[in-house]
Amino acid sequence: MKKSKIGTTLPVPGMLHDAGESAGVATSTLNLANHFLIAMPSMQDPVFGGAVVYVCEHNENGVLGVVINKPTDMTMHTLFERIELKVESGLEGHDDEPIMFGGPVQDDRGFVLHTPGHRYSSSLTVTDEIAFTTSIDVLEAVAAGEGPPRMLVSIGYSGWSPGQLEDEIGRNGWLTVGADPEILFNMPIEERYTAAMRLLGIDPLMLTSEAGHA
């Protein structure tokens, strides 16, 4: 079996503290952590068109999030084979779950959104219901039958430099709404975009490119 590019040494949250030089960029008071970014139907970007992004971290150094509705052709079973982790007690219903394309940043690395509980070596608690882990020990726990009960695994993540996302929102590129863990963890992937829109009371079919953001 060909070994995956997925590495075992991953960035450490808050990973945005090294986001680079931000001098001269106005600090935004907007904090979209634990929000969904919903791409406007008019967005033609090949990466983010039709995307729902869960925002894990938003501070003066930028924004970090994970696309939650773009599956790759890799499943959890395939992932564990490729990173040579022996599953001791089954994946407890996760076996055929697809790995998401989380975004174009570090797309040779794995990232996990999951319910909090066990402490992992490189983990960011976003809310009482959602954590973001970048260290391999969370997958080792899953292989041992001790992993989080709900999780989403992605390859890569999405990142914006200071002020970039705010500018895209101001130009009607994204809608924003407080995140719902049920959509993140339990909703069928193909229904997540519409479900996120409905959190705003919006029918995507009725939305025009001129709509603003919440």
Side-chain angles (χ1 to χ4, degrees), residues 55-117:
V55 178
C56 305
E57 192 171 31
H58 186 184
N59 59 34
E60 67 275 10
N61 292 310
V63 179
L64 182 150
V66 175
V67 177
I68 68 166
N69 66 329
K70 293 200 172 189
T72 69
D73 58 3
M74 185 187 301
T75 65
M76 288 284 287
H77 177 79
T78 305
L79 170 63
F80 277 72
E81 284 190 337
R82 291 188 179 182
I83 61 177
E84 298 179 357
L85 269 181
K86 182 179 179 181
V87 178
E88 297 179 8
S89 58
L91 291 175
E92 300 180 351
H94 297 297
D95 202 74
D96 294 325
E97 287 184 7
I99 306 301
M100 292 296 119
F101 167 73
V105 184
Q106 295 204 9
D107 60 0
D108 59 347
R109 302 289 185 183
F111 303 88
V112 185
L113 289 168
H114 59 90
T115 47

